[in-house]
Amino acid sequence: MKIDPSVCLTRRRLLGAAAIGASGMAANMAQVELLSQPAFAEQLQQADKSVILLWLAGGASQLETWDPKPGRPTGGPFAKIQTCIPGIEISELLPKMSSRLHETAIIRSLNTKIADHGQAYEVMDTGRIREPGVQFPHLGAIIAHELANSHSDVPDYVEMYTSTEGRRKGAAGYLGARYNPMFLTESMMPENLKRLESIRDADHQERADLQRYLSQQFSMKLRNPIVDSHNTAFQRVRGLMSSDYLFDIERESRAMRDHYGPTQFGEQCLIARRLAEAGVPFVKVARAWWDSHGQNFETHQELCADLDFVMAALLDDLKQRGMLERTLVITLGEFGRTPQINGSLGRDHFASAWSCTLSGCGIRGGSVYGKTDEDGKTVVEGETNAGDLFATILAALGIDPKKEIMLGSRPIPLADFGSKPIQEILA
Amino acid sequence: MSDVLTRDMKTFKRTREIRSTDILFAIANRPDRQSVLLGSSDSGVYELDLTVEKPERIKFSGPGHRSYVTGIAVMDSQAVSCGYDGQLVWWDLQTRQAIRTIDAHDKWIRRLMSVPSRNAFVSVADDMRCRVWDAGSGERIADFTDHKAMTEHHFPSMLYAVAASPDGRWIATGDRVGHIAIWDTQTWAKKAELEAPVMYTWDPKARRHSIGGIRSLAFSPDSSQLAVGGTGKINNIDHLEGRSRLEVFDWHKGTRLHEFEDEKRKGLVEQIVWIPGTTWILAVGGDNKGFLTFFDTATNTMLHQDGCEGHIHGVTWDANVASLLVAAHERVEVWSWEKTAV
């Protein structure tokens, strides 16, 4: 299916139509016909789905998390533990997750080849290798583009990256500024979201109306998708201004805040759940910084404790709220870490055989895909690249990975050319 | 060890290197032979005969460790090893067989040493406990802690270092956040506390985790001073790029007498050795590579320094203090010095 981004049927249009249909469907046979179309049905299926990406910035060690190799020279000092799924073992550093693998699939065979932070980050953000002259959208923008509802008052795409190391803002690329993220860095509460006290609400509304009028006049004379995209973003300002309560975890009970623990990562994941619950399609929570060139084992004792506690809390909370079947939780970084242990008891960058996880929406829980050799140095089964991972993520959400966006006259599929979803881990 | 005064520090150099593929965390002299015992990342305890030209390691057998072996102490005809599996294993030196295995701690055991003048070993582990063990029976004699399980930033802490005073009266323990406690072995009561917070770096912003900790402790020959080893503050905690750091306390008074930070050699001070009969301290450790540094506490100066290709995890002198035997990353090294010309 080839779709121009300016005319494609998005979830927001669908839900707008569906809202009308709920009250007056009988009177509007055109919409009834629309609902019977496969593309429309597909959109309905995607309704209310969200992604929470736990970004393990800097590159977590697969050997200390999802693909342990105890007893091997590369294995490090940690043992592996049996999970709730017979035959699947993970690192002892993830005891809470070991009892929650029913909802999670592990991919142990990522080979993304690039082991430089900047380039690898870009590959794992966009699902493909950089191409001169093309600004590919990041995963969050793709998901927002596919799942966002323009009638919603909440943001489409939120990123939390409070650490400074490795911080990079997501980008919508050719999808347009409409799908750029709300990027939270210094504070978990969005900055500049409140109306200035010096401006009355009525004045603010009038300014917005004037901006809309002028933009429409401009667009009538000069059609430009960039201008359209910015106008769409402006039109959502007042809605976004009213969504600041979502970032306020003080509104949660003490018990719920304790459930997520006292760390910043825990608090941010609680916000992520609040956002997903309110209909935000994509939330990225970056937990930096796993780049353990020295003292890898100490670093992973700290960071895995945080990841294990918070990820388990998030999955439990989503499940208890009935949200897990429509929320996809991903753990991913830019790469993994070398099997070889260096002189500082560290592990260096490694992109040839590493792991990630997918939990919840559209995922066949309790599954493992791919295999590395006994020392974890190479992939021996099920080699998976970034494009395949993106295709899998999209398929899990009910989005066709081959759906094409027209960049001028060039069709570009959502997931990279030639990529395939991993059917073995899809529900 | 008084023989050390006859040695010329200027001649101190590496005289032998025996490469391996594993990481050697612990080394101990076998007193009845010219061999050493080694604790390895492959979970094994080995004996290495240094009298032969091409020594081959002999692995001890029996139910041993299941993870890295991080400490070995020898007493009479037996040795005891500790590991990240939380176990203490007693070994018969004649048969090289395991004779007793104890689940000693709930988490990684970081260090083990014998307690002078007592028939006992002392161990510290990441369960934040210090435990004393009867060398003969393996029974636990004492169990104490003054170290918090979690850092103030809600991450697991670690109890890295332990030392027993040469007279066997005192035990010192040191943790990740820089807290030190000194214990009376007659009552097992805490006698004093010290703080060395510079050795712990918490990065609240850029990387949001920590590095460092007190990695080594050693009492002076008269037991009045305590040397504390680790690393200085680190800017980029991805690496062990902080200056190696040594602090010396008059622990009874709670006063810091000396601070040594080495701009040239980076990383952790993994072991400290006071040289009896002198005012010298040997500090070893490293980052990606190793260092051996002699300090003089009388003049507050560095006397001598050398580098090693591998991060040094442990050292022991031979019986005559003629050679320093080094356990390092993928190697054993022998460092020697010549007698001063008369």
Side-chain angles (χ1 to χ4, degrees), chain B residues 1-8 275-276 278 280 317 320-321 337:
Chain B
M1 278 207 179
S2 56
D3 191 44
V4 70
L5 291 174
T6 67
R7 300 287 168 177
D8 181 358
I275 314 294
T278 73
W280 302 344
W317 290 103
N320 302 318
V321 202
W337 45 10

Side-chain angles (χ1 to χ4, degrees), chain A residues 124-184:
Chain A
M124 301 316 296
D125 259 339
T126 62
R128 56 189 101 207
I129 303 290
R130 175 189 288 190
E131 198 178 299
V134 183
Q135 292 184 313
F136 291 113
H138 290 193
L139 179 64
I142 296 170
I143 302 297
H145 181 264
E146 296 303 306
L147 300 184
N149 174 8
S150 69
H151 295 277
S152 169
D153 284 342
V154 299
D156 301 332
Y157 173 13
V158 176
E159 283 190 356
M160 288 176 261
Y161 203 131
T162 43
S163 298
T164 55
E165 190 64 20
R167 184 192 289 170
R168 291 170 177 82
K169 184 181 178 182
Y174 55 68
L175 292 179
R178 163 72 174 77
Y179 299 104
N180 274 334
M182 175 184 282
F183 193 47
L184 304 179

Side-chain angles (χ1 to χ4, degrees), chain A residues 279-293:
Chain A
V280 177
F282 191 92
V283 186
K284 176 176 176 177
V285 182
R287 199 330 173 183
W289 178 248
W290 296 72
D291 198 20
S292 49
H293 295 285

